[in-house]
Coordinates of all heavy atoms in Angstrom, one line a residue:
N937 N 51.5 -144.2 -5.1 CA 52.1 -142.8 -5.3 C 51.2 -141.6 -5.1 O 51.6 -140.5 -5.2 CB 52.8 -142.6 -6.6 CG 53.8 -143.7 -6.9 OD1 54.3 -144.4 -6.0 ND2 54.1 -143.9 -8.2
H938 N 49.9 -141.9 -4.7 CA 49.0 -140.8 -4.5 C 48.2 -140.9 -3.2 O 47.7 -142.0 -3.0 CB 48.0 -140.6 -5.7 CG 48.7 -140.3 -7.0 ND1 49.4 -139.1 -7.2 CD2 48.7 -140.9 -8.1 CE1 49.8 -139.1 -8.4 NE2 49.5 -140.2 -9.0
L939 N 48.1 -139.8 -2.5 CA 47.3 -139.8 -1.3 C 46.1 -139.0 -1.7 O 46.2 -137.8 -2.2 CB 48.0 -139.2 -0.1 CG 47.1 -139.1 1.1 CD1 47.0 -140.5 1.8 CD2 47.7 -138.2 2.2
F940 N 44.9 -139.5 -1.5 CA 43.7 -138.8 -1.9 C 42.8 -138.6 -0.7 O 42.8 -139.4 0.3 CB 42.8 -139.6 -2.9 CG 43.5 -140.0 -4.2 CD1 43.9 -141.3 -4.5 CD2 43.9 -138.9 -5.1 CE1 44.5 -141.6 -5.7 CE2 44.5 -139.2 -6.3 CZ 44.8 -140.6 -6.6
R941 N 41.9 -137.6 -0.8 CA 40.8 -137.5 0.2 C 39.9 -138.7 -0.1 O 39.5 -138.9 -1.2 CB 40.0 -136.2 0.0 CG 38.8 -136.2 0.9 CD 38.2 -134.8 1.0 NE 39.1 -133.9 1.6 CZ 39.1 -132.6 1.5 NH1 38.2 -132.0 0.7 NH2 40.0 -131.8 2.2
A942 N 39.7 -139.5 0.9 CA 39.0 -140.8 0.7 C 37.6 -140.7 0.1 O 37.3 -141.4 -0.8 CB 38.9 -141.6 2.0
N943 N 36.9 -139.7 0.5 CA 35.5 -139.6 0.0 C 35.4 -139.0 -1.4 O 34.4 -138.7 -2.0 CB 34.5 -138.9 0.9 CG 35.0 -137.5 1.2 OD1 35.6 -136.8 0.4 ND2 34.6 -137.0 2.4
R944 N 36.6 -138.8 -2.0 CA 36.7 -138.3 -3.4 C 37.1 -139.5 -4.3 O 37.3 -139.3 -5.5 CB 37.7 -137.2 -3.6 CG 37.2 -135.9 -2.9 CD 35.9 -135.4 -3.5 NE 35.7 -134.0 -3.1 CZ 35.4 -133.1 -4.0 NH1 35.4 -133.4 -5.3 NH2 35.2 -131.9 -3.6
T945 N 37.4 -140.6 -3.8 CA 38.0 -141.7 -4.6 C 37.0 -142.7 -5.1 O 35.9 -142.8 -4.6 CB 39.0 -142.5 -3.7 OG1 38.3 -143.2 -2.7 CG2 40.2 -141.7 -3.2
T946 N 37.5 -143.4 -6.2 CA 36.7 -144.4 -6.8 C 37.7 -145.5 -7.2 O 38.9 -145.1 -7.6 CB 35.9 -143.8 -7.9 OG1 34.7 -144.3 -8.0 CG2 36.6 -143.8 -9.2
K947 N 37.3 -146.8 -7.2 CA 38.2 -147.8 -7.7 C 38.0 -147.8 -9.2 O 37.0 -148.0 -9.7 CB 37.9 -149.2 -7.2 CG 38.8 -150.3 -7.7 CD 38.6 -151.6 -7.1 CE 39.6 -152.6 -7.7 NZ 39.5 -154.0 -7.2
R948 N 39.1 -147.4 -9.9 CA 38.9 -147.2 -11.4 C 39.5 -148.4 -12.2 O 39.2 -148.5 -13.4 CB 39.6 -146.0 -11.8 CG 41.2 -146.1 -11.8 CD 41.8 -145.0 -12.6 NE 43.2 -144.9 -12.3 CZ 44.0 -143.9 -12.7 NH1 43.5 -142.9 -13.3 NH2 45.3 -144.0 -12.4
S949 N 40.2 -149.3 -11.6 CA 40.8 -150.4 -12.4 C 40.9 -151.7 -11.6 O 41.3 -151.7 -10.4 CB 42.2 -150.0 -12.9 OG 42.7 -151.2 -13.6
A950 N 40.5 -152.8 -12.2 CA 40.6 -154.1 -11.6 C 42.0 -154.7 -11.9 O 42.3 -155.8 -11.5 CB 39.5 -155.0 -12.1
E951 N 42.8 -154.0 -12.7 CA 44.0 -154.5 -13.2 C 45.2 -153.6 -12.9 O 46.2 -154.1 -12.4 CB 43.9 -154.6 -14.8 CG 45.1 -155.0 -15.5 CD 45.7 -156.3 -15.2 OE1 44.9 -157.2 -14.9 OE2 46.9 -156.5 -15.3
A952 N 45.1 -152.3 -13.1 CA 46.2 -151.4 -12.9 C 46.6 -151.4 -11.5 O 45.8 -151.5 -10.6 CB 45.9 -150.0 -13.4
L953 N 47.9 -151.1 -11.2 CA 48.3 -151.0 -9.8 C 47.9 -149.6 -9.3 O 47.7 -149.5 -8.1 CB 49.8 -151.1 -9.7 CG 50.4 -152.5 -10.1 CD1 51.9 -152.6 -9.8 CD2 49.6 -153.7 -9.4
S954 N 47.7 -148.7 -10.2 CA 47.1 -147.4 -9.7 C 45.6 -147.6 -9.8 O 44.9 -147.0 -10.6 CB 47.5 -146.2 -10.6 OG 47.2 -146.6 -12.0
A955 N 45.1 -148.3 -8.8 CA 43.6 -148.8 -8.9 C 42.7 -147.7 -8.5 O 41.5 -147.8 -8.9 CB 43.5 -150.0 -7.9
F956 N 43.1 -146.7 -7.8 CA 42.2 -145.6 -7.3 C 42.5 -144.3 -7.9 O 43.7 -144.0 -8.2 CB 42.3 -145.5 -5.8 CG 41.6 -146.7 -5.1 CD1 42.4 -147.9 -4.9 CD2 40.3 -146.7 -4.8 CE1 41.8 -149.0 -4.3 CE2 39.7 -147.8 -4.2 CZ 40.4 -148.9 -3.9
Y957 N 41.5 -143.5 -8.0 CA 41.7 -142.2 -8.5 C 40.7 -141.2 -7.9 O 39.5 -141.6 -7.6 CB 41.6 -142.1 -10.1 CG 42.3 -140.9 -10.6 CD1 43.7 -140.7 -10.4 CD2 41.6 -139.9 -11.3 CE1 44.3 -139.6 -10.9 CE2 42.3 -138.8 -11.7 CZ 43.6 -138.6 -11.5 OH 44.2 -137.5 -11.9
S958 N 41.0 -140.0 -7.9 CA 40.1 -138.9 -7.4 C 40.0 -138.0 -8.6 O 41.0 -137.2 -8.9 CB 40.7 -138.2 -6.2 OG 40.1 -136.9 -6.0
Y959 N 38.9 -138.0 -9.3 CA 38.7 -137.3 -10.6 C 38.5 -135.8 -10.3 O 38.7 -135.0 -11.2 CB 37.6 -137.9 -11.4 CG 38.0 -139.2 -12.0 CD1 37.8 -140.4 -11.3 CD2 38.7 -139.3 -13.3 CE1 38.2 -141.6 -11.9 CE2 39.0 -140.5 -13.8 CZ 38.8 -141.6 -13.1 OH 39.2 -142.8 -13.6
N960 N 37.9 -135.5 -9.2 CA 37.4 -134.1 -9.0 C 38.0 -133.3 -7.9 O 37.6 -132.3 -7.5 CB 35.9 -134.1 -8.8 CG 35.1 -134.5 -10.1 OD1 35.6 -134.2 -11.2 ND2 34.0 -135.2 -9.9
Y961 N 39.1 -133.9 -7.3 CA 39.8 -133.2 -6.2 C 41.3 -133.6 -6.3 O 41.6 -134.7 -6.5 CB 39.2 -133.6 -4.8 CG 39.6 -132.6 -3.8 CD1 39.0 -131.3 -3.7 CD2 40.5 -133.0 -2.8 CE1 39.4 -130.5 -2.7 CE2 40.9 -132.1 -1.8 CZ 40.3 -130.8 -1.7 OH 40.7 -129.9 -0.8
P962 N 42.1 -132.6 -6.2 CA 43.6 -132.9 -6.3 C 44.1 -133.8 -5.2 O 43.5 -133.9 -4.1 CB 44.2 -131.5 -6.2 CG 43.2 -130.6 -5.5 CD 41.9 -131.2 -5.8
P963 N 45.2 -134.5 -5.5 CA 45.8 -135.4 -4.5 C 46.2 -134.6 -3.3 O 46.6 -133.5 -3.4 CB 47.0 -136.0 -5.2 CG 46.8 -135.8 -6.6 CD 45.9 -134.6 -6.8
L964 N 46.1 -135.2 -2.1 CA 46.5 -134.6 -0.9 C 48.1 -134.6 -0.8 O 48.7 -133.9 -0.1 CB 45.9 -135.2 0.4 CG 44.4 -135.3 0.4 CD1 43.9 -135.9 1.7 CD2 43.8 -133.9 0.2
A965 N 48.6 -135.7 -1.5 CA 50.1 -135.8 -1.5 C 50.5 -136.6 -2.7 O 49.7 -137.5 -3.1 CB 50.6 -136.4 -0.3
D966 N 51.6 -136.2 -3.3 CA 52.2 -137.0 -4.4 C 53.5 -137.6 -3.9 O 54.3 -136.9 -3.3 CB 52.4 -136.1 -5.7 CG 51.1 -135.6 -6.3 OD1 50.4 -136.5 -6.7 OD2 50.9 -134.4 -6.3
V967 N 53.6 -138.9 -4.2 CA 54.8 -139.6 -3.7 C 55.8 -140.0 -4.8 O 55.4 -140.7 -5.7 CB 54.3 -140.8 -2.9 CG1 55.6 -141.6 -2.3 CG2 53.5 -140.4 -1.7
G968 N 57.0 -139.4 -4.7 CA 58.1 -139.8 -5.6 C 59.2 -140.1 -4.7 O 59.1 -140.9 -3.7
V969 N 60.4 -139.5 -5.0 CA 61.5 -139.6 -4.1 C 61.2 -139.1 -2.7 O 61.5 -139.6 -1.7 CB 62.7 -138.9 -4.7 CG1 63.9 -138.9 -3.7 CG2 63.1 -139.5 -6.0
N970 N 60.4 -138.0 -2.7 CA 59.9 -137.4 -1.5 C 58.4 -137.5 -1.5 O 57.8 -137.6 -2.5 CB 60.4 -136.0 -1.4 CG 61.8 -135.8 -1.3 OD1 62.5 -136.4 -0.4 ND2 62.4 -135.2 -2.3
I971 N 57.8 -137.2 -0.3 CA 56.4 -137.1 -0.2 C 56.0 -135.6 -0.2 O 56.4 -134.9 0.7 CB 55.8 -137.8 1.1 CG1 56.2 -139.2 1.2 CG2 54.3 -137.6 1.2 CD1 55.8 -140.0 2.4
A972 N 55.4 -135.2 -1.3 CA 55.1 -133.8 -1.5 C 53.6 -133.6 -1.0 O 52.7 -134.0 -1.7 CB 55.3 -133.3 -2.9
Y973 N 53.4 -133.0 0.1 CA 52.1 -132.7 0.7 C 51.5 -131.5 0.0 O 52.2 -130.5 -0.1 CB 52.1 -132.6 2.2 CG 52.4 -133.9 2.9 CD1 53.7 -134.2 3.3 CD2 51.4 -134.8 3.1 CE1 54.1 -135.4 3.9 CE2 51.7 -136.0 3.7 CZ 53.0 -136.3 4.1 OH 53.3 -137.5 4.7
N974 N 50.3 -131.6 -0.4 CA 49.6 -130.5 -1.0 C 48.8 -129.8 0.1 O 47.6 -130.0 0.3 CB 48.6 -131.0 -2.1 CG 47.9 -129.9 -2.8 OD1 48.1 -128.7 -2.6 ND2 47.1 -130.3 -3.7
R975 N 49.5 -129.0 0.9 CA 48.9 -128.5 2.2 C 47.6 -127.7 2.0 O 46.7 -127.8 2.9 CB 49.9 -127.6 2.9 CG 51.3 -128.2 3.3 CD 51.1 -129.3 4.3 NE 50.9 -128.8 5.6 CZ 51.8 -128.5 6.5 NH1 53.1 -128.7 6.2 NH2 51.5 -128.1 7.7
S976 N 47.5 -127.0 0.9 CA 46.2 -126.2 0.7 C 45.0 -127.1 0.4 O 43.9 -126.6 0.6 CB 46.4 -125.2 -0.4 OG 46.7 -125.9 -1.6
A977 N 45.2 -128.3 0.0 CA 44.1 -129.2 -0.3 C 43.7 -130.0 0.9 O 42.6 -130.7 0.9 CB 44.5 -130.2 -1.4
I978 N 44.5 -130.0 2.0 CA 44.2 -130.9 3.2 C 43.4 -130.2 4.2 O 43.7 -129.0 4.5 CB 45.6 -131.4 3.8 CG1 46.4 -132.2 2.8 CG2 45.3 -132.2 5.1 CD1 47.8 -132.5 3.2
H979 N 42.4 -130.8 4.7 CA 41.5 -130.2 5.6 C 42.2 -130.0 7.0 O 42.9 -130.9 7.4 CB 40.3 -131.2 5.9 CG 39.4 -130.8 7.0 ND1 38.6 -129.7 7.0 CD2 39.4 -131.3 8.3 CE1 38.0 -129.6 8.1 NE2 38.4 -130.5 9.0
Q980 N 42.0 -128.8 7.6 CA 42.6 -128.6 8.9 C 41.5 -128.4 9.9 O 40.6 -127.6 9.7 CB 43.4 -127.3 8.9 CG 44.7 -127.3 8.0 CD 45.6 -128.5 8.3 OE1 45.8 -128.9 9.4 NE2 46.2 -129.1 7.3
P981 N 41.5 -129.2 10.9 CA 40.4 -129.1 11.9 C 40.4 -127.8 12.7 O 41.5 -127.3 12.9 CB 40.6 -130.3 12.8 CG 42.0 -130.8 12.6 CD 42.4 -130.3 11.3
A982 N 39.3 -127.4 13.1 CA 39.3 -126.1 13.9 C 40.0 -126.3 15.2 O 40.7 -125.5 15.7 CB 37.8 -125.7 14.2
R983 N 39.8 -127.5 15.8 CA 40.5 -127.9 17.1 C 41.1 -129.3 17.0 O 40.6 -130.1 16.3 CB 39.5 -127.8 18.2 CG 38.9 -126.4 18.3 CD 38.3 -126.2 19.6 NE 39.0 -126.7 20.8 CZ 38.7 -126.5 22.0 NH1 37.6 -125.8 22.3 NH2 39.4 -126.9 23.0
Y984 N 42.2 -129.5 17.8 CA 42.8 -130.8 17.7 C 42.6 -131.6 19.0 O 43.0 -132.7 19.1 CB 44.4 -130.6 17.6 CG 44.7 -130.2 16.2 CD1 44.7 -128.8 15.8 CD2 45.1 -131.1 15.2 CE1 45.0 -128.4 14.5 CE2 45.5 -130.7 13.9 CZ 45.4 -129.4 13.6 OH 45.7 -129.0 12.3
D985 N 41.9 -131.0 20.0 CA 41.8 -131.7 21.2 C 40.3 -132.1 21.6 O 40.0 -132.4 22.7 CB 42.3 -130.8 22.3 CG 41.7 -129.4 22.3 OD1 40.8 -129.2 21.4 OD2 42.0 -128.5 23.2
E986 N 39.5 -132.0 20.6 CA 38.1 -132.4 20.9 C 38.0 -134.0 20.9 O 38.7 -134.6 20.1 CB 37.1 -132.0 19.8 CG 37.1 -130.5 19.5 CD 36.0 -129.8 20.4 OE1 35.1 -130.5 20.8 OE2 36.1 -128.6 20.6
P987 N 37.1 -134.5 21.7 CA 37.0 -136.0 21.7 C 36.3 -136.4 20.4 O 35.5 -135.7 19.8 CB 36.0 -136.3 22.9 CG 35.5 -135.0 23.3 CD 36.3 -133.9 22.7
L988 N 36.8 -137.6 19.9 CA 36.2 -138.1 18.6 C 34.8 -138.7 18.9 O 34.7 -139.5 19.7 CB 37.1 -139.2 18.0 CG 36.6 -139.8 16.7 CD1 36.8 -138.8 15.6 CD2 37.4 -141.1 16.4
R989 N 33.9 -138.2 18.1 CA 32.5 -138.8 18.2 C 32.2 -139.5 16.9 O 32.7 -139.1 15.9 CB 31.5 -137.6 18.4 CG 31.5 -137.0 19.8 CD 30.1 -136.5 20.2 NE 29.6 -135.7 19.2 CZ 29.6 -134.4 19.1 NH1 30.2 -133.7 20.0 NH2 29.0 -133.8 18.1
I990 N 31.4 -140.6 17.0 CA 31.0 -141.3 15.8 C 29.5 -141.4 15.7 O 28.8 -141.7 16.8 CB 31.7 -142.6 15.7 CG1 31.5 -143.5 16.9 CG2 33.2 -142.5 15.4 CD1 31.9 -145.0 16.6
A991 N 29.0 -141.3 14.5 CA 27.6 -141.6 14.3 C 27.5 -143.1 13.9 O 28.3 -143.5 13.0 CB 27.1 -140.8 13.2
T992 N 26.7 -143.9 14.5 CA 26.7 -145.3 14.2 C 25.5 -145.9 13.5 O 25.4 -147.1 13.3 CB 26.9 -146.1 15.6 OG1 25.8 -145.6 16.4 CG2 28.2 -145.8 16.2
R993 N 24.6 -145.0 13.1 CA 23.4 -145.5 12.4 C 23.5 -145.2 10.9 O 23.8 -144.1 10.5 CB 22.1 -144.9 13.0 CG 21.8 -145.6 14.3 CD 20.4 -145.2 14.7 NE 20.2 -143.8 14.9 CZ 20.5 -143.1 15.9 NH1 20.8 -143.7 17.0 NH2 20.3 -141.8 16.0
F994 N 23.1 -146.2 10.1 CA 23.0 -146.1 8.7 C 21.7 -146.6 8.2 O 21.2 -147.6 8.7 CB 24.1 -146.9 7.9 CG 25.5 -146.3 8.0 CD1 26.3 -146.6 9.0 CD2 25.9 -145.3 7.1 CE1 27.6 -146.0 9.1 CE2 27.1 -144.7 7.2 CZ 28.0 -145.1 8.2
S995 N 21.0 -145.8 7.3 CA 19.8 -146.3 6.7 C 20.1 -147.2 5.5 O 21.0 -146.7 4.7 CB 18.9 -145.2 6.4 OG 17.8 -145.7 5.6
E996 N 19.5 -148.3 5.4 CA 19.7 -149.1 4.2 C 18.6 -148.9 3.2 O 18.5 -149.6 2.2 CB 20.0 -150.6 4.6 CG 21.3 -150.7 5.2 CD 21.6 -152.0 5.9 OE1 20.8 -153.0 5.7 OE2 22.5 -152.1 6.8
R997 N 17.8 -147.9 3.4 CA 16.6 -147.7 2.5 C 17.0 -146.7 1.4 O 16.3 -145.7 1.1 CB 15.5 -147.1 3.3 CG 15.0 -148.1 4.4 CD 14.0 -147.6 5.3 NE 13.5 -148.7 6.0 CZ 12.3 -148.7 6.6 NH1 11.5 -147.7 6.5 NH2 11.9 -149.8 7.3
V998 N 18.1 -147.1 0.8 CA 18.7 -146.2 -0.3 C 18.9 -147.1 -1.5 O 19.3 -148.2 -1.3 CB 20.0 -145.6 0.2 CG1 20.7 -144.9 -0.8 CG2 19.7 -144.7 1.4
C999 N 18.7 -146.6 -2.7 CA 19.2 -147.4 -3.8 C 19.7 -146.5 -5.0 O 19.5 -145.3 -4.9 CB 18.1 -148.4 -4.3 SG 16.9 -147.6 -5.3
I1000 N 20.3 -147.1 -6.0 CA 20.8 -146.4 -7.1 C 20.0 -146.7 -8.4 O 19.8 -147.9 -8.6 CB 22.3 -146.8 -7.3 CG1 23.1 -146.5 -6.1 CG2 22.9 -146.1 -8.6 CD1 24.6 -147.1 -6.1
I1001 N 19.7 -145.7 -9.1 CA 19.1 -146.0 -10.4 C 20.0 -145.4 -11.5 O 20.2 -144.2 -11.5 CB 17.7 -145.4 -10.6 CG1 16.7 -145.9 -9.5 CG2 17.1 -145.6 -12.0 CD1 15.3 -145.3 -9.5
K1002 N 20.6 -146.3 -12.3 CA 21.5 -145.8 -13.3 C 20.7 -145.7 -14.6 O 20.1 -146.7 -15.1 CB 22.7 -146.8 -13.5 CG 23.7 -146.3 -14.5 CD 24.9 -147.1 -14.3 CE 26.0 -146.5 -15.3 NZ 27.3 -146.9 -14.8
L1003 N 20.7 -144.5 -15.2 CA 20.0 -144.3 -16.5 C 20.7 -145.0 -17.6 O 21.9 -145.1 -17.7 CB 19.9 -142.8 -16.8 CG 19.2 -141.9 -15.8 CD1 18.9 -140.5 -16.4 CD2 17.8 -142.5 -15.4
F1004 N 19.9 -145.5 -18.6 CA 20.4 -145.9 -19.9 C 19.3 -145.8 -20.9 O 18.1 -145.9 -20.5 CB 20.9 -147.4 -19.8 CG 19.8 -148.4 -19.4 CD1 19.1 -149.1 -20.3 CD2 19.5 -148.6 -18.0 CE1 18.1 -150.0 -19.9 CE2 18.5 -149.5 -17.6 CZ 17.8 -150.1 -18.6
P1005 N 19.6 -145.6 -22.1 CA 18.6 -145.5 -23.1 C 17.9 -146.8 -23.2 O 18.5 -147.8 -23.5 CB 19.3 -145.1 -24.4 CG 20.6 -144.6 -24.0 CD 20.9 -145.3 -22.7
G1006 N 16.6 -146.9 -22.8 CA 15.9 -148.2 -22.8 C 15.3 -148.5 -21.4 O 14.5 -149.4 -21.3
L1007 N 15.7 -147.7 -20.5 CA 15.0 -147.8 -19.1 C 13.5 -147.5 -19.3 O 13.2 -146.6 -20.0 CB 15.6 -146.7 -18.2 CG 15.0 -146.6 -16.8 CD1 15.4 -147.8 -15.9 CD2 15.4 -145.3 -16.1
T1008 N 12.7 -148.4 -18.7 CA 11.3 -148.2 -18.9 C 10.6 -147.6 -17.7 O 11.1 -147.7 -16.6 CB 10.6 -149.6 -19.2 OG1 10.7 -150.4 -18.0 CG2 11.2 -150.3 -20.4
E1009 N 9.4 -147.1 -18.0 CA 8.5 -146.5 -16.9 C 8.3 -147.6 -15.9 O 8.3 -147.4 -14.7 CB 7.2 -146.0 -17.5 CG 6.3 -145.5 -16.4 CD 5.1 -144.8 -16.9 OE1 4.9 -144.7 -18.2 OE2 4.3 -144.3 -16.1
Q1010 N 8.0 -148.8 -16.4 CA 7.7 -149.9 -15.5 C 8.9 -150.2 -14.5 O 8.6 -150.4 -13.3 CB 7.5 -151.2 -16.3 CG 6.8 -152.3 -15.5 CD 6.8 -153.6 -16.4 OE1 7.5 -153.7 -17.3 NE2 6.0 -154.5 -15.9
T1011 N 10.1 -150.2 -15.0 CA 11.2 -150.5 -14.1 C 11.4 -149.3 -13.1 O 11.5 -149.5 -11.9 CB 12.5 -150.5 -14.9 OG1 12.4 -151.5 -15.9 CG2 13.7 -150.9 -14.1

Side-chain angles (χ1 to χ4, degrees):
N937 306 338
H938 296 295
L939 180 73
F940 299 115
R941 173 167 295 158
N943 60 28
R944 293 298 196 127
T945 62
T946 218
K947 183 175 178 182
R948 70 164 169 191
S949 177
E951 169 65 29
L953 298 185
S954 54
F956 288 86
Y957 200 64
S958 160
Y959 289 88
N960 290 326
Y961 196 73
L964 305 184
D966 291 301
V967 176
V969 174
N970 296 299
I971 302 179
Y973 291 95
N974 182 3
R975 301 293 288 267
S976 62
I978 299 172
H979 169 75
Q980 297 302 326
R983 301 198 42 175
Y984 287 84
D985 53 359
E986 300 269 341
L988 179 72
R989 286 208 313 262
I990 55 170
T992 53
R993 284 194 301 271
F994 284 94
S995 170
E996 288 167 17
R997 297 175 169 203
V998 171
C999 82
I1000 299 171
I1001 301 178
K1002 183 167 187 157
L1003 300 191
F1004 59 95
L1007 174 74
T1008 64
E1009 176 172 3
Q1010 196 190 14
T1011 306

